[in-house]
Amino acid sequence: MNGGRPGVLRVGDRVVLSGVRHTVTGLAGTLVHLADERNRTSVVSLPDLLLQAKVESGPAPSLPRLPSARFHGLPAKAVEGASWWEPHIIEVLTGLPAGAPPGARPTDQYDPATRSLAEREAAKAAELIGSGHAGVSSGTVRRKRLRYQAQGVVGLVDGRADRARPSTGQTDSRVVDVLRRVLAAEKTVQGPSRTVEFFRWRVEQILESEFGPSVVPLPSRATFYRLFRKLSAGQHTTGSARTRRSLAGRPQGPFGQVTPVRPGELMQIDSTALDVLVRLDSGTPGRVDLTAVIDVATRTVTAAVLRPTTKSVDASLLLARTVTPEPMRPGWADALRMSRSVLPFVHLHGVDERLAHAAARPVIVPESMVCDHGMVFISDNFRSSCRWLGIDFQPGHLGTPTDKPHIERMIGTVGTQFLQYVSGYLGSSVERRGRDAAAQPLWSLPELQDLLDEWIVACWQNRPHDGLRDPVSPGRSFSPNEKYATLIQAAGYVPLALSGEDYIELLPAKWRAINAYGVKINHRVYDDAQLNGLRRQPSGVTNRKDLWEVHTDPYDVTRIWVRNHHQGGWITLFWKHLSTAPAPFGELLWNSAISELHDSGVTDPAENEIAEVVGKLLQRAHDGPPGASAEKTPPRRKRRRPNALGHPAVLDKSASHGRLPDEPTLDERETDQPDEDDFLADVVPLGIFDARKEAERRW
């Protein structure tokens, strides 16, 4: 190719080969497809073309580029204008309009062989003016052509439509800077939520203190509100303070990813108050705490316990429940057995025969445990339990719940998928809370614990989780039981259940002397014939003043365990007044009975007195609140009590609590009901109030 050889051979280039003008119509490897003026086609190899052909004009114009992503964010009017200009610029560059058929010849005024680029630009300007587009000059066409060659169709967009504008508009930069500082300080302090008007006042105060009064004008209220929305976007500044603190604690960089490959490699524990009322041991309604453990690899909830107030021993006992099988309960469906689930029951049962009567919840031994800095988890009791079980204790960062997101999410799911269906549900926040939640029929704490255990086995362990997707087939999600069965086949994981002695080791320890009457714990005496020969004897533990190590269960005071420092093992001692207690109970109810006796004037209550009060409390708890159902229980007689003025007033003490689960319905009660008149209250006549006589009375 002689003369001004283009750097690139493109479709549409015009060349002269053997004295005949051709147009390049296609390129296929080293073959060039040509078409002459009579629309006759031919194929020439590229080397022959480069040696024999002659370029008819200067360098071939650049073809239009594809629209960039910026093109799609422009206004529709600007995009329409660029699309209108594009075929005109193509005609100026190539001589042919866009979409011209093969073999078409350019008109004389746009023919690149006879017209220069400047002449073609002038011709296009004249054409557009003649068609009614005033104000178009050859300079305008030239600028459009240069921008089109450099940027493609995006270059034809009106520059005013694509002009970058500051996000803060025309507001004074000093106002913007002060508002940014105020928002940053509010985020750091994590104070209460405030309105936008407070921040407007605060910005005004800082501007006056730094630049003087009226030096920097404050924008109008509407402008300031728009500016505030732009600068505080995503910070939840005027919304919920809890959400704002959560967003402030979120890491600024990319989230890390820890992918455990076997059960128990990474587990998380947490405790929180539940939004539900239960019937406590004392018979009064109250909220309870949920403490739960989750395995990150399988999302298995290995243990979850409800307590009126979470203590360090609860966390330790939770570790014990994690490594022990979940037994089947009376009334549970047979489909909830481990032998009926997807878990490898045959393989696991060969290791531990106690799994024969276990529910479909895996037994997982923790390797590392992540927790927050709550007093329950950083206590010596919980730390020592982790050390004894060989668990790597890993407390998270202060104020960073994102260090244990899986257990946080699990507790939230308990509220949305379980608690809101439970009678006594309060709502997730104050604004979502209803009225008279205590008037609903409330479950007792053991009953709600059984319901929660059944829900975990039946629902949670068999529900597919979005975080348990197959990396090879992302469309498939696994349930915790399915993931557990998959991982133990790959990792060769065999859990060993906790023995009875191991369970006792996790209980809190006290150091007491063995007296002639036995061992005394909090006004309770425990004794057994196994203590014969050890009474009033030293234990041999000199650093504990020869006292004996005693382990207690704070939720079952019926027995204690004394370590036999002489012969090894444990000695089980039963409470002396166990036969007088109607049911097992814990320290919380025992302390409540002691407080009741103190309030009645008994400063040093005897053991049998406390046991008697406990029995009455348990009976009241079993009977439920008085007047459990306003609809199904006959109303009580109303008592008269003097009011503040000394006149008798009618006081209705019937409660509006719902019927307890074991309370008989109207159909189950005796059919010999008293007449309706027997339930009417006595009519109490009230005297007419005379202000003058009352003023003369001497009080």
Side-chain angles (χ1 to χ4, degrees), residues 500-632:
E501 292 190 359
D502 295 337
Y503 188 87
I504 297 174
E505 289 284 356
L506 295 177
L507 296 176
K510 302 178 184 295
W511 292 87
R512 294 290 188 271
I514 299 179
N515 296 295
Y517 54 81
V519 178
K520 194 171 187 178
I521 300 288
N522 193 13
H523 298 281
R524 297 185 303 273
V525 175
Y526 298 85
D527 197 5
D528 192 82
Q530 299 181 69
L531 291 183
N532 296 340
L534 301 178
R535 304 178 190 275
R536 303 181 61 85
Q537 297 298 315
S539 64
V541 184
T542 55
N543 59 343
R544 289 289 183 173
K545 300 180 180 180
D546 283 325
L547 298 178
W548 296 77
E549 183 180 355
V550 181
H551 284 206
T552 63
D553 188 345
Y555 299 102
D556 185 5
V557 300
T558 61
R559 70 204 66 197
I560 62 174
W561 295 267
V562 178
R563 187 188 298 275
N564 191 336
H565 296 283
H566 296 171
Q567 301 177 1
W570 294 93
I571 301 175
T572 303
L573 304 182
F574 292 91
W575 182 31
K576 186 175 64 174
H577 291 279
L578 179 60
S579 59
T580 62
F585 57 90
E587 288 282 359
L588 185 65
L589 186 56
W590 180 266
N591 295 334
S592 176
I594 294 177
S595 300
E596 185 174 332
L597 289 173
H598 286 172
D599 295 338
S600 62
V602 181
T603 57
D604 190 13
E607 185 178 358
N608 57 346
E609 294 177 334
I610 303 175
E612 183 180 356
V613 174
V614 168
K616 294 179 180 179
L617 287 175
L618 290 176
Q619 186 63 41
R620 290 203 305 267
H622 178 270
D623 295 339
S629 176
E631 298 179 356
K632 300 180 180 180

Side-chain angles (χ1 to χ4, degrees), residues 94-114:
T94 64
L96 296 173
R105 293 295 306 275
T107 59
D108 293 338
Q109 58 182 348
Y110 294 116
D111 191 349
T114 59

